[in-house]
Amino acid sequence: MSTQELAGKVALVTGAGSGLGRSIAERLARGGAAVACCDLSEDSARETSELITSAGGRSVALAFDVTDEAATDAAVDVAADRLGGLDAVVANAGIAGEGAARGLELASWERIIAVHLTGTFLTTRAALRHLVERPGGSIVMQASAAGLVGLPNTPAYSAAKSGIIGLARQVARDYAHLGIRINAIAPGTVLTPLVQQAYDERFGADVEAGLEARAASIPLGMGRPDDIAAAAAFLVSDEARWITGTVMPVDGGLSQLRP
């Protein structure tokens, strides 16, 4: 892919304040896209946006909760208005989701489903109103290897990510005739603040041993945020113009080559 393969495009990334979202936002900007950096934390969204503008890119920062229907609708409209339309969305916002099924409280289940699955739906629905106005629109939904295989201690998270995969395939079918592409990425374990939080909760003082064991279980070892960002940039780009309804595992072989 060229260094300006996204020139002229406007993209919106949720959960852009840190981790995978920040890496994706920066990668899209390096490709030439103007990027709306969205996050629950206004400070974090602004930090990512300033990283982009300081490097010569165009960006705005927006703070909202993806589970809030009105706030999500309004923020997507503001992003499109301030950046001159909308061509691509990466629905990446998420939270940690630990807890075995037997002891998982209903409130935790509902919050994890709300942020990951309902938040992805609300972001997608708001974006579609703008994507139908321009040719070649693209939505990338952040799923997970946990939506493809049974990973330990993540019932709500796995259910939400499986739901995102189904949502991506269904919406892709409905909007293909308008030239809008919808795909999902299924990342494996990448050491981000969210993953660190999950492993801290799971392993406590033994967290380093837990991370080493996970890395050893992945055929290609632990991934980096840039690995996921590169996949998102490709799916957003015109080089993926004949790809829709797919789930792209970017997991070092975790979901395909597990012993």
Side-chain angles (χ1 to χ4, degrees):
M1 295 174 65
S2 70
T3 56
Q4 288 292 300
E5 74 278 4
L6 304 178
K9 292 187 181 294
V10 176
L12 180 149
V13 181
T14 64
S18 65
L20 296 182
R22 176 169 288 181
S23 293
I24 291 168
E26 290 188 282
R27 176 63 183 83
L28 299 185
R30 288 198 301 273
V35 183
C37 299
C38 306
D39 201 89
L40 182 62
S41 165
E42 183 176 359
D43 289 343
S44 297
R46 186 181 300 112
E47 286 174 7
T48 303
S49 183
E50 288 174 352
L51 288 171
I52 290 171
T53 56
S54 65
R58 291 179 61 218
S59 180
V60 296
L62 297 166
F64 66 97
D65 184 341
V66 294
T67 70
D68 184 324
E69 179 179 13
T72 301
D73 286 345
V76 173
D77 289 347
V78 168
D81 181 63
R82 293 177 62 181
L83 293 176
L86 190 63
D87 301 288
V89 169
V90 181
N92 166 78
I95 58 175
E98 292 290 292
R102 186 172 63 177
L104 186 65
E105 294 183 358
L106 179 59
S108 296
W109 167 275
E110 291 177 338
R111 179 61 180 165
I112 293 164
I113 296 294
V115 173
H116 288 278
L117 183 53
T118 304
T120 296
F121 165 70
L122 291 175
T123 301
T124 297
R125 189 184 67 179
L128 284 168
R129 294 199 302 269
H130 298 276
L131 296 180
V132 297
E133 298 176 359
R134 292 159 74 121
S138 175
I139 297 174
V140 177
M141 300 181 185
Q142 197 73 284
S144 170
L148 298 173
V149 297
L151 298 181
N153 211 47
T154 58
Y157 184 84
S158 294
K161 293 303 189 180
S162 296
I164 287 170
I165 289 170
L167 177 65
R169 288 171 170 159
Q170 195 286 316
V171 180
R173 179 64 183 84
D174 278 354
Y175 287 87
H177 71 288
L178 295 176
I180 299 172
R181 300 179 297 104
I182 295 92
N183 295 286
I185 297 173
T189 304
V190 177
L191 193 56
T192 63
L194 190 65
V195 170
Q196 184 70 54
Q197 178 187 343
Y199 273 72
D200 286 342
E201 292 174 2
R202 188 183 304 177
F203 293 102
D206 296 327
V207 64
E208 292 303 322
L211 286 168
E212 289 175 6
R214 171 48 63 87
S217 74
I218 302 171
L220 292 180
M222 197 85 77
R224 300 179 301 182
D226 284 350
D227 297 323
I228 311 306
F234 168 68
L235 289 173
V236 163
S237 78
D238 292 339
E239 297 200 17
R241 62 185 176 273
W242 210 44
I243 300 175
T244 194
T246 65
V247 181
M248 180 185 290
V250 186
D251 62 7
L254 174 66
S255 62
Q256 309 299 322
L257 305 174
R258 298 184 77 202

